[in-house]
Amino acid sequence: ICSIENLKKQFAEHDVYVHDYRGIRKGKVIYCRLKVVNLSESRDLSTFVMAFSDMTKEKTTALEKMAYTDPLTGGNNYNGFKRKVRDINKAGFIISMDIHQFKLVNSACGVAFGDKVLKKIWDTALSFCKDSCIAGHVNADHFAFYSPQESKEEIIENIKKVSDTLLRLSVEMRCPRLHPYFGITFWNPVQQIEEAYSQTTIAKHEVKDSKDTNYLFYSEEVSQKKIHEKEIEDSFPEALAGGNFEVWYQPKINPFTGKMV
């Protein structure tokens, strides 16, 4: 990197050569920057200055930003969300939000426009978050929220406000209807955040196609129902092979005579 031949090649176009590299100091990774300035009037490198600087703090900050910041919203990504919730270490509600059939927005309006809509959805959700709330963009149209010390009634009220605002937003942006649905669970710091988020996903999928509500609080009954449904689904191939299915027809009844027609 610092050979005369290499520097001559660099200085053939520029008078300053900058190179960032990584090293090990006392068993820890450090990031350094080498800067070489040509002071010669010619390109023979008769006079130049070399300087080294420790960029560990700046580089670490930049790497952390890449690791925990969502490039679309500029807010927390899922890792950043989990990190901040763990740092608070205080019981509260974990909420996940999806947009029903958001792929229609991308299909009808294009992916670039879809990204703009997602940013608007993010801004809308944040507008109803209190100072103590934490939000994160998980991926695609999936979002996560943490809200401490709020009652279920307050959570429901905010969900309704977000839903109403997103409906108006879809009209303003002239895109397919933005219909959010939510899964909610109560989280305690002794529980893994990933486990709590999975619970919200289970609850959320239960109301995905519901016409009556767009939110559900997780319960053990919801989990057992999903497990039971999966067990039934897994038993289908064996039941088909064993001839265990029966065809039942619903009869049509004449309402005047009460007889089957």
Side-chain angles (χ1 to χ4, degrees):
I1 293 173
C2 299
S3 67
I4 295 296
E5 291 76 14
N6 182 48
L7 290 176
K8 283 182 178 180
K9 291 179 182 179
Q10 299 295 330
F11 288 140
E13 299 180 3
H14 307 285
D15 288 327
V16 178
Y17 172 58
V18 178
H19 177 72
D20 292 340
Y21 63 95
R22 188 175 68 170
I24 302 294
R25 179 191 294 164
K26 297 180 179 179
K28 295 183 178 180
V29 175
I30 62 169
Y31 297 90
C32 300
R33 173 167 293 172
L34 162 67
K35 182 178 287 187
V36 184
V37 180
N38 183 18
L39 301 180
S40 308
E41 293 183 0
S42 62
R43 298 292 180 180
D44 59 3
L45 294 182
S46 59
T47 310
F48 58 88
V49 175
M50 300 180 68
F52 296 86
S53 57
D54 189 338
M55 302 292 294
T56 303
K57 184 177 180 179
E58 293 85 346
K59 193 71 173 179
T60 301
T61 301
L63 290 173
E64 285 188 353
K65 185 175 181 179
M66 291 177 60
Y68 299 115
T69 302
D70 178 65
L72 177 64
T73 65
N76 299 310
N77 60 15
Y78 186 46
N79 287 330
F81 170 78
K82 292 188 292 182
R83 184 191 192 193
K84 288 189 176 179
V85 173
R86 281 194 296 263
D87 289 344
I88 288 182
N89 199 36
K90 186 177 182 180
F93 287 98
I94 299 289
I95 307 162
S96 63
M97 178 183 79
D98 287 7
I99 305 299
H100 189 56
Q101 293 187 334
F102 185 81
K103 60 184 179 182
L104 292 178
V105 177
N106 288 332
S107 299
C109 308
V111 175
F113 184 83
D115 286 345
K116 291 181 180 179
V117 175
L118 287 173
K119 182 62 169 63
K120 285 287 187 180
I121 292 172
W122 168 263
D123 293 339
T124 298
L126 281 187
S127 68
F128 291 103
C129 285
K130 297 180 179 178
D131 293 338
S132 53
C133 291
I134 299 171
H137 180 209
V138 180
N139 55 50
D141 59 305
H142 310 310
F143 299 86
F145 305 92
Y146 161 80
S147 181
Q149 296 181 333
E150 285 195 45
S151 65
K152 287 186 176 182
E153 290 73 21
E154 289 177 301
I155 295 291
I156 295 171
E157 182 181 354
N158 275 343
I159 282 175
K160 291 180 177 178
K161 289 179 180 178
V162 170
S163 300
D164 291 342
T165 305
L166 290 184
L167 179 59
R168 293 194 296 270
L169 179 64
S170 58
V171 175
E172 293 171 4
M173 300 193 73
R174 298 180 180 180
C175 65
R177 181 183 177 184
L178 300 175
H179 177 65
Y181 54 103
F182 304 81
I184 312 126
T185 192
F186 186 77
W187 174 75
N188 192 292
V190 297
Q191 182 187 26
Q192 292 292 326
I193 298 174
E194 290 84 354
E195 181 184 354
Y197 184 76
S198 295
Q199 292 175 351
T200 67
T201 301
I202 292 173
K204 182 174 56 183
H205 287 168
E206 280 295 293
V207 294
K208 182 177 182 179
D209 297 309
S210 174
K211 304 299 181 183
D212 302 321
T213 183
N214 67 334
Y215 66 88
L216 182 67
F217 286 85
Y218 173 84
S219 66
E220 192 62 32
E221 289 76 13
V222 172
S223 179
Q224 290 302 318
K225 179 183 176 183
K226 297 299 292 184
I227 293 173
H228 180 60
E229 290 174 352
K230 187 65 169 64
E231 289 174 346
I232 293 176
E233 183 181 331
D234 291 343
S235 68
F236 277 9
E238 184 179 346
L240 282 169
N244 302 132
F245 278 91
E246 297 179 358
V247 179
W248 287 22
Y249 296 97
Q250 180 177 353
K252 292 183 179 181
I253 306 295
N254 186 318
F256 299 104
T257 65
K259 293 182 179 181
M260 183 172 66
V261 295

